[in-house]
Amino acid sequence: QSLVNPPVTFYTDSIQPPQVLNLPALTEAGIDSIDEYRSNGGEFILHDELTDPLCSTLNEVSEDDDTPVFGKLPDGSWLVYDPRLKLEENTPISHLEDGGGLIQSLTGGDSRCVNAPRTFVNEEQCTLSFSPTACGSSGTPDVEIELNANNIA
């Protein structure tokens, strides 16, 4: 059984939220419903950037004492902004310079590094990062392998 997010409503004669993002209609490209099974279609993700000036004032990571941010849709309905999910492009052609190290640091380790070791699959695109926030390797295992006639081909 899944729990449904209750609708958010602010009536014109009640106190309005202090921070409101103006959102595009849900039918426009860039807003998709996520986890429809668990949320009954009540959670969305916006893939495109917003041009609302309020966006530049929001924290990358929300703290417990941050003021909630609400989004208002053109039809008058409301959504609550949740910054916990931020999609970053991280492909072999366009990779995160620090491998996600800054986000890992900002979230106290709740997010993980997303870098990968160099392999034959990515060696053409793999680059060494000099970013001060770059994720480090997990190290080299301390293993001794005896070389003998049976295991040398």
Side-chain angles (χ1 to χ4, degrees), residues 28-90:
E28 292 183 22
I31 296 183
D32 293 321
S33 179
I34 59 173
D35 200 6
E36 289 185 19
Y37 175 74
R38 292 190 185 147
S39 73
N40 288 327
E43 293 186 13
F44 303 91
I45 187 165
L46 176 68
H47 297 284
D48 301 331
E49 290 187 22
L50 292 175
T51 57
D52 193 307
L54 178 60
C55 293
S56 63
T57 67
L58 300 177
N59 294 330
E60 287 284 321
V61 177
S62 66
E63 302 292 336
D64 289 338
D65 59 348
D66 284 351
T67 303
V69 178
F70 294 89
K72 189 171 186 179
L73 298 165
D75 67 2
S77 59
W78 294 85
L79 298 175
V80 180
Y81 171 70
D82 184 350
R84 289 180 292 177
L85 180 62
K86 181 178 181 186
L87 300 179
E88 299 279 1
E89 184 172 347
N90 190 32

Side-chain angles (χ1 to χ4, degrees), residues 94-107:
S94 177
H95 54 271
L96 293 173
E97 181 63 31
D98 69 351
L102 178 60
I103 299 298
Q104 182 183 31
S105 174
L106 289 173
T107 62

